[in-house]
Amino acid sequence: AQRVTQPEKLLSVFKGAPVELKCNYSYSGSPELFWYVQYSRQRLQLLLRHISRESIKGFTADLNKGETSFHLKKPFAQEEDSAMYYCALTDTGRRALTFGSGTRLQVQP
Amino acid sequence: DAGVIQSPRHEVTEMGQEVTLRCKPISGHDYLFWYRQTMMRGLELLIYFNNNVPIDDSGMPEDRFSAKMPNASFSTLKIQPSEPRDSAVYFCASRSLGQGSGELFFGEGSRLTVL
């Protein structure tokens, strides 16, 4: 069974500090990993996906198959990064995404 | 396209009442998903459809929950009878694996409160 674990419900940092949102998964096949973000009063939206290997809004995430992790990182947090972040995975056969329980990021001025 | 459209945005009802949530997916998307969001459990997949056919309903909590997709542009999630523990935000999402990146697009959600 697929499972996504986000151990932190809340992460609070100061503006300019580095951010790391943790995500671990369990899946025996070749998963595809995503990060979704939900800003206040906005829809849940895709932030980035591991196959794209891109940086969005300064965020990056590297898939570590050995540690089964897909942590989201940003070197310098901004106040506008405050939001709810969800890690998700799917496989090539199953079309639905399995989400973690989410981490709320608070960036204080 | 206006994106995934859900209604109602907010629903307050009393225990025992029937609740119907509605969703219009993005035109051309062949997958539709219903998720439930709570503080404790985050986003849980309830059911998803492919070309209007239910594929996996293993996440539906119990028989009080049912979902239908009579055509490619409309789906409903029904709770009958509703209970206070059903209070949550229900999201509909759609995607097309044959177009673009296959990204999952979410609606704004329906916030349900059962008193």
Side-chain angles (χ1 to χ4, degrees):
Chain A
Q2 303 175 88
R3 186 177 180 88
V4 178
T5 302
Q6 294 180 251
E8 304 141 326
K9 283 201 176 296
L10 173 66
L11 182 63
S12 185
V13 301
F14 287 102
K15 177 182 172 182
V19 170
E20 182 178 66
L21 300 170
K22 290 183 168 38
C23 172
N24 288 89
Y25 66 91
S26 61
Y27 180 65
S28 57
S30 295
E32 187 173 352
L33 277 295
F34 306 81
W35 276 98
Y36 277 76
V37 60
Q38 188 176 27
Y39 299 103
S40 180
R41 292 186 172 80
Q42 292 189 28
R43 301 170 189 239
L44 201 66
Q45 57 188 285
L46 178 66
L47 180 63
L48 55 79
R49 55 200 304 172
H50 89 270
I51 59 173
S52 300
R53 293 185 164 273
E54 57 196 345
S55 173
I56 303 293
K57 299 184 180 182
F59 284 97
T60 59
D62 291 319
L63 179 61
N64 186 323
K65 291 187 177 181
E67 296 182 358
T68 59
S69 67
F70 188 57
H71 303 326
L72 184 67
K73 301 178 183 179
K74 184 169 183 176
F76 308 103
Q78 302 298 314
E79 289 182 68
E80 54 265 31
D81 296 329
S82 296
M84 193 75 178
Y85 291 80
Y86 289 95
C87 182
L89 76 80
T90 189
D91 62 35
T92 53
R94 193 167 183 268
R95 305 311 188 191
L97 270 63
T98 298
F99 285 84
S101 54
T103 298
R104 180 167 297 282
L105 174 64
Q106 282 183 350
V107 181
Q108 301 181 53
Chain B
D1 200 315
V4 177
I5 300 173
Q6 292 186 245
S7 64
R9 293 290 311 281
H10 302 273
E11 175 94 5
V12 180
T13 191
E14 293 189 345
M15 184 173 65
Q17 297 298 304
E18 178 179 295
V19 173
T20 299
L21 308 178
R22 297 172 178 81
C23 175
K24 181 180 187 303
I26 292 173
S27 176
H29 282 191
D30 50 355
Y31 284 86
L32 182 141
F33 307 83
W34 283 99
Y35 284 90
R36 179 171 67 176
Q37 182 187 45
T38 61
M39 289 287 289
M40 292 301 297
R41 303 170 72 123
L43 274 167
E44 302 173 279
L45 176 67
L46 300 177
I47 185 172
Y48 77 95
F49 297 82
N50 175 218
N51 291 325
N52 315 338
V53 177
I55 302 301
D56 183 354
D57 65 354
S58 59
M60 295 286 261
E62 45 198 277
D63 292 345
R64 297 184 298 106
F65 285 69
S66 63
K68 293 182 180 179
M69 191 166 184
N71 57 62
S73 59
F74 184 66
S75 177
T76 60
L77 178 67
K78 187 174 292 187
I79 309 172
Q80 167 62 21
S82 58
E83 296 183 4
R85 60 190 167 129
D86 301 331
S87 298
V89 180
Y90 291 81
F91 286 100
C92 178
S94 70
R95 73 189 298 203
S96 170
L97 295 181
Q99 302 173 16
S101 65
E103 178 181 344
L104 193 61
F105 290 89
F106 282 82
E108 294 182 290
S110 293
R111 181 176 296 277
L112 173 64
T113 302
V114 183
L115 304 174

